Amino acid sequence: MKIAFRASPKPGAQGALKELSGRYGQTPAAEADFIVTIGGDGTALEALHEALTMPAKPVFAMRTDGSVGSFCNSFRTHDLTERLHAASRVQLPVLQAEIEQAGGRSQVLFAINEIVLNRQVFQQAKLKVAVDGEGIR
């Protein structure tokens, strides 16, 4: 089994990364069977964004001590391969925002959790929101 580990920059997560990659190896994400994150929800979301650019790739998130991780699993260094095989798979919906800026420049953004629009002082924003192609009023 090939695993790509991604860790928060916090010292505890970096120590865990060293231990886990020493035990299970470290594979580039594009070649891995699983991406395993070590940290909290922010680290997991970063890995999920990275995984959007690849063919379907499961991400298994583990929460380290002191990290906030409402959708992370508890951290353990042993039995990781068994946990990965036994984990329930959940498909997360991907949000898509088509942004058109003043002057006609447009871009498409993708998000897992939320899309936030910030308005500069004294500027207007005209928003149209649609879910599955249906406008919301």
Side-chain angles (χ1 to χ4, degrees):
M1 173 184 301
K2 297 177 185 174
I3 303 172
F5 292 100
R6 297 290 179 266
S8 159
K10 293 182 180 177
Q14 289 297 307
L17 171 64
K18 187 175 181 179
E19 182 177 350
L20 286 168
S21 59
R23 181 179 290 198
Y24 298 100
Q26 174 68 296
T27 303
E31 301 169 20
D33 301 312
F34 291 90
I35 298 173
V36 174
T37 67
I38 308 156
D41 285 353
T43 306
L45 286 169
E46 287 175 8
L48 287 166
H49 277 276
E50 179 184 4
L52 285 175
T53 64
M54 302 174 216
K57 187 89 48 180
V59 175
F60 185 85
M62 290 195 290
R63 172 183 52 256
T64 54
D65 291 338
S67 293
V68 177
S70 59
F71 59 80
C72 293
N73 298 285
S74 59
F75 178 79
R76 292 197 312 253
T77 56
H78 64 285
D79 74 352
L80 179 59
T81 55
E82 293 84 0
R83 292 177 75 194
L84 292 175
H85 286 298
S88 298
R89 292 191 182 231
V90 176
Q91 295 279 339
L92 296 176
V94 177
L95 303 173
Q96 177 179 334
E98 297 174 17
I99 308 295
E100 183 178 323
Q101 297 174 318
R105 195 179 104 200
S106 63
Q107 69 184 102
V108 177
L109 304 174
F110 296 96
I112 301 295
N113 193 36
E114 64 187 357
I115 294 175
V116 177
L117 301 174
N118 291 320
R119 179 178 66 91
Q120 299 296 320
V121 178
F122 303 120
Q123 291 185 344
Q124 295 179 351
K126 181 179 178 183
L127 304 174
K128 177 183 175 186
V129 178
V131 176
D132 294 329
E134 298 291 324
I136 297 176
R137 299 187 197 282

